[in-house]
Amino acid sequence: MFVYGLMGSPSRCCLRTPVGGLGSLKRVSAFPSSWKPKDKITIPSLERNYWFGSAQGCKKQQTHTIKCTMGASYGDTSNGSTDIFPRINVRDPYKRLGISREASEDEIQAARSFLVQKYAGHKPSLDAIESAHDKIIMQKFYERKNPKIDMKKKVREVHQSRVVQAVMSRFQTPSTKIIIKTSIAFVVLGALTVLFPTEEGPTLQVALSLIATIYFINERLKSKLRAFLYSAGAFIFSWLLGTFLMVSVIPPIPLIKGLRSFEVTTSLITYVLLWVSSTYLK
């Protein structure tokens, strides 16, 4: 049995046909001698024939169709399509990987592995995925090394603490009439302290502020003992806090001059705290 059919090589494709019977063969080139391979040439339908010799004649048997493709690489027959990462140009690394900013490291690694496996055949897609993964990992590392202080969270935690809740429970918002009356009284005391300083300091004005605090608290609570205790405690706390602020925090104020500028400024801070106590303390 002799088989004649299609033969392919990187430079030419030949057909062998029977010539002069079954005993001799002749090679016939399917392409001219001056032919140069193009990028891609396809022979859409070429039948491969088998000849069977016998005493009675030849029988022709047709087989399946062969497609011959020749590329610039001579013999590269892979024609499969490659998926392209659709978010390859997204700048945000979290959106590029399809995860949230609160994603854990396990979720980040899982997203990266899934995308790398899916788009493994496209190098630009892999580069985009790896770049986004590296940026997220570096950002997570920087955040662990330099943690940010969430001021809103800190304020909320302080406001929800038991100590602050206990202090806030001792205050309430009064009527507008009470707020205006106490504000006028302490503004007048502050103006007298600044405009008429004495060599002994604002002793009289400070004493008047204590009396005013007792009066306003007693007017609201209707209890002289509680008014006296609250006023005395508020006065001592206000004076100590004002002294600490003047020594450690607040610089000298140019508008307030004289030998008793320190006492005058401390008195003004005390007036503010006494106003809060006489107006909002319950």
Side-chain angles (χ1 to χ4, degrees), residues 158-176:
V158 171
H159 186 268
Q160 294 176 354
S161 62
R162 293 183 178 180
V163 176
V164 175
Q165 290 292 330
V167 173
M168 294 297 295
S169 64
R170 303 305 306 169
F171 291 87
Q172 66 179 1
T173 303
S175 62
T176 307

Side-chain angles (χ1 to χ4, degrees), residues 193 196-206 260 263-264 267:
T193 302
F196 303 101
T198 60
E199 295 180 359
E200 294 80 10
T203 307
L204 178 61
Q205 292 87 336
V206 171
R260 297 295 180 178
E263 289 81 356
V264 171
S267 300

